Amino acid sequence: DADVTQTPRNRITKTGKRIMLECSQTKGHDRMYWYRQDPGLGLRLIYYSFDVKDINKGEISDGYSVSRQAQAKFSLSLESAIPNQTALYFCATSPGHSSQETQYFGPGTRLLVL
Amino acid sequence: EDQVTQSPEALRLQEGESSSLNCSYTVSGLRGLFWYRQDPGKGPEFLFTLYSAGEEKEKERLKATLTKKESFLHITAPKPEDSATYLCAVQAAGTYKYIFGTGTRLKVLA
């Protein structure tokens, strides 16, 4: 089974709708991240969380919110989806117990906002 | 401003034709440099972490090296299954954020 899972894998929604993307991990890592990937722009950080009570904004957090329900679960919400939020979304985890850390990524959610 | 630039954007090789991918970075102190492989429609897959200039790591046909300004991913005698996008990322000292390059799309022809 995959260590980092994301649901749904694909989603089509309409402008103005609220949607939630979910991420679960079995790696036992404390730190979790949400990124979006757009062609030509690379991966950009939306939010990150170092533990259940520690959530931080990334470089492009406007229009997004997150919830860390447990060490293993980190959800991303689009409060009112807009077409320029069409992208590939990735969840990632890292151990959180050393100063130099590797991130491990989920399989991604492809989101289309009409 | 912290920045990562990868070159070339795209590379086509014949099977067995060795080459190198470049990752240039500017950060105010390097905590770590990471290489990932990404297949179409999938999440990035971790390859290597490098921490200090002069460090080298190898895995099968891949070898990553690091200087104070750039990293190279050397691919020796590539095979078609090495075709993918290779991503480079850095983590700057004093921050837990990661800065990603836009990747090099590698195509290895049989």
Side-chain angles (χ1 to χ4, degrees):
Chain A
D1 288 339
D3 294 320
V4 183
T5 57
Q6 293 182 234
T7 57
R9 295 296 314 281
N10 295 279
R11 179 73 184 268
I12 300 173
T13 192
K14 294 182 178 179
T15 297
K17 294 291 188 181
R18 183 180 189 277
I19 68 165
M20 179 182 289
L21 310 183
E22 299 186 339
C23 176
S24 295
Q25 54 115 346
T26 58
K27 298 183 78 67
H29 289 171
D30 288 329
R31 296 178 180 172
M32 299 186 73
Y33 309 79
W34 276 105
Y35 289 90
R36 66 176 280 176
Q37 188 175 40
D38 299 274
L41 292 180
L43 285 157
R44 292 182 292 166
L45 183 64
I46 305 172
Y47 271 95
Y48 62 104
S49 170
F50 285 175
D51 64 41
V52 175
K53 296 181 180 180
D54 182 11
I55 293 176
N56 305 278
K57 293 183 177 180
E59 60 181 305
I60 54 164
S61 59
D62 288 347
Y64 301 94
S65 63
V66 292
S67 173
R68 185 82 183 265
Q69 301 94 325
Q71 185 205 37
K73 295 184 181 296
F74 193 35
S75 299
L76 176 72
S77 294
L78 284 66
E79 300 301 327
S80 179
I82 57 177
N84 76 0
Q85 290 178 314
T86 293
L88 194 52
Y89 289 85
F90 289 105
C91 173
T93 73
S94 65
H97 56 69
S98 67
S99 62
Q100 295 162 327
E101 300 186 349
T102 298
Q103 291 182 312
Y104 298 89
F105 286 82
T109 294
R110 187 174 299 278
L111 175 65
L112 174 61
V113 183
L114 300 175
Chain B
E1 180 184 354
D2 297 335
Q3 190 171 346
V4 174
T5 302
Q6 292 189 246
S7 62
E9 289 186 10
L11 181 63
R12 291 168 68 94
L13 299 173
Q14 292 294 323
E15 184 173 4
E17 180 186 3
S18 300
S19 188
S20 297
L21 313 181
N22 178 263
C23 172
S24 298
Y25 63 91
T26 53
V27 291
S28 52
L30 180 68
R31 184 188 293 267
L33 185 142
F34 309 88
W35 281 100
Y36 292 87
R37 169 193 172 127
Q38 186 176 22
D39 293 298
K42 297 187 177 181
E45 174 188 346
F46 168 70
L47 293 174
F48 304 108
T49 303
L50 302 168
Y51 298 119
S52 58
E55 188 174 1
E56 300 182 351
K57 290 192 176 176
E58 290 187 65
K59 179 181 179 181
E60 296 180 353
R61 295 178 292 281
L62 301 176
K63 178 180 177 180
T65 62
L66 180 64
T67 72
K68 290 185 178 180
K69 294 183 178 181
E70 58 191 349
S71 176
F72 291 94
L73 184 65
H74 306 279
I75 303 177
T76 301
K79 298 181 178 181
E81 54 261 42
D82 294 322
S83 298
T85 296
Y86 290 85
L87 301 175
C88 171
V90 299
Q91 190 182 31
T95 175
Y96 291 98
K97 298 179 183 178
Y98 301 76
I99 304 155
F100 282 82
T102 54
T104 293
R105 296 188 312 277
L106 174 66
K107 178 72 172 176
V108 182
L109 304 172

